Amino acid sequence: MTPDSFNFLAGLVKARSGIVLTADKGYMLETRLGPMLRRESLQGLDALAVRLRAPRAEALAAEVVEALTTNESSFFRDGKPFEHLKKLLPKLAAARPPGQPIRVWSAACSSGQEAYSIAMTAAELGPALGGRKLDILGTDISREMLDRAQEGVFTQFEVQRGLPVTMLVKHFRQEGQRWRVAPELRAQVRWQFFNLMEDPRTLGRFDIIFCRNVLIYFDAPTKSRVLGTLAGMLAPDGVVYLGGAETVLGLTERLVPAPGERGVYEPARATAKAG
């Protein structure tokens, strides 16, 4: 692959998804795009770059981005955010007007384990929420992953990654070697195609935003823009959950770490200027 072809492919992926491909990712491109190259009878990545430059290549370009998206997820991933969520939800429920749901956004939700983990956390709280409903939205740029999330069917390996046996028995139904999310839990989550490079304010305001292990694929300017936008979509007493290796430091002043917590960020409080 020529440097020109790599730069073109990297530029296309960054513009469409925010993902930054460094020069050492040539092998990853060949591996993940190999099936597409064979199907399209293309001799290599240079030929793919030529095809993508041609008119009416939109569908192929979207497929390239989807193939290069990392779809890694597990139930109750990293644990800590969900422990914090368990304490946060009753506080938000008590602070909201009667009948107003708590809105939660699981950004880059992959195959849905995070969103379902949020729903299970709320279900386990029961009376502590005082009958308050959650409006959970899961979004991703992979339509294949969204289809999987909506179907709510997971392998034995997937349910063994982080999901307590008690919750598996309570919230899933076994179908042969696979497990399907119970209808009442599936009904609590909505799924939507959405690209973080677009304007997420069209989604409305949220009390809680999960945007975990996404920013690590972006460059600093893109991280700053996304974080600033998320801060503007957040309720004053809401929180943003980021991945353990992610931070807002040096990227935005609109979000600050929650005291004593890791990966939890709150809207920065406005400070009164001295007269």
Side-chain angles (χ1 to χ4, degrees), residues 228-250:
T229 305
L230 296 184
M233 300 168 63
L234 196 61
D237 57 349
V239 303
V240 173
Y241 293 102
L242 299 181
E246 297 168 329
T247 182
V248 303
L249 298 178

Side-chain angles (χ1 to χ4, degrees), residues 32-254:
R32 295 198 184 181
L33 299 179
M36 182 192 309
L37 297 178
R38 291 189 288 273
R39 188 195 71 214
E40 297 291 325
S41 299
L42 295 169
Q43 294 303 309
L45 294 172
D46 291 316
L48 174 63
V50 171
R51 175 77 64 85
L52 289 169
R53 284 185 166 103
R56 296 184 294 278
E58 174 63 31
L60 191 62
E63 189 176 348
V64 166
V65 173
E66 179 153 338
L68 295 174
T69 302
T70 301
N71 297 308
E72 171 65 21
S73 186
S74 60
F75 290 101
F76 296 97
R77 187 176 181 180
D78 301 331
K80 287 287 187 183
F82 298 96
E83 292 175 16
H84 184 270
L85 180 67
K86 195 171 182 178
K87 295 182 291 184
L88 175 67
L89 284 174
K91 296 177 184 177
L92 293 179
R96 296 294 179 269
Q100 179 177 312
I102 296 173
R103 296 202 72 215
V104 187
W105 178 20
S106 173
C109 66
S110 189
S111 44
Q113 287 95 321
E114 180 177 83
Y116 285 127
S117 296
I118 295 166
M120 282 185 277
T121 299
E124 293 299 309
L125 286 170
L129 295 185
R132 180 82 56 181
K133 301 295 184 183
L134 265 66
D135 176 14
I136 305 170
L137 174 66
T139 68
D140 204 271
I141 62 172
S142 170
R143 297 187 188 278
E144 180 184 352
M145 288 297 109
L146 287 171
D147 288 344
R148 277 208 62 207
Q150 189 156 18
E151 186 183 13
V153 176
F154 299 93
T155 65
Q156 185 71 38
F157 173 74
E158 287 170 325
V159 298
Q160 286 175 337
R161 296 184 67 199
L163 184 62
V165 173
T166 52
M167 288 194 180
L168 174 64
V169 173
K170 185 174 182 180
H171 298 293
F172 290 74
R173 306 291 178 265
Q174 189 167 13
E175 297 181 352
Q177 297 300 310
R178 305 198 300 172
W179 295 81
R180 184 182 295 275
V181 179
E184 57 270 22
L185 199 71
R186 287 174 61 202
Q188 295 181 38
V189 189
R190 296 181 294 115
W191 309 100
Q192 181 177 331
F193 175 86
F194 189 80
N195 190 331
L196 280 170
M197 296 301 98
E198 299 170 11
D199 187 352
R201 289 175 295 184
T202 58
L203 302 177
R205 175 166 280 210
F206 292 90
D207 301 291
I208 299 166
I209 298 175
F210 280 73
C211 189
R212 304 169 63 225
N213 307 301
V214 182
L215 299 179
I216 53 175
Y217 299 106
F218 298 165
D219 60 15
T222 305
K223 290 177 184 178
S224 294
R225 179 165 59 81
V226 171
L227 287 169
T229 305
L230 296 184
M233 300 168 63
L234 196 61
D237 57 349
V239 303
V240 173
Y241 293 102
L242 299 181
E246 297 168 329
T247 182
V248 303
L249 298 178
L251 296 170
T252 182
E253 295 181 352
R254 300 184 63 185

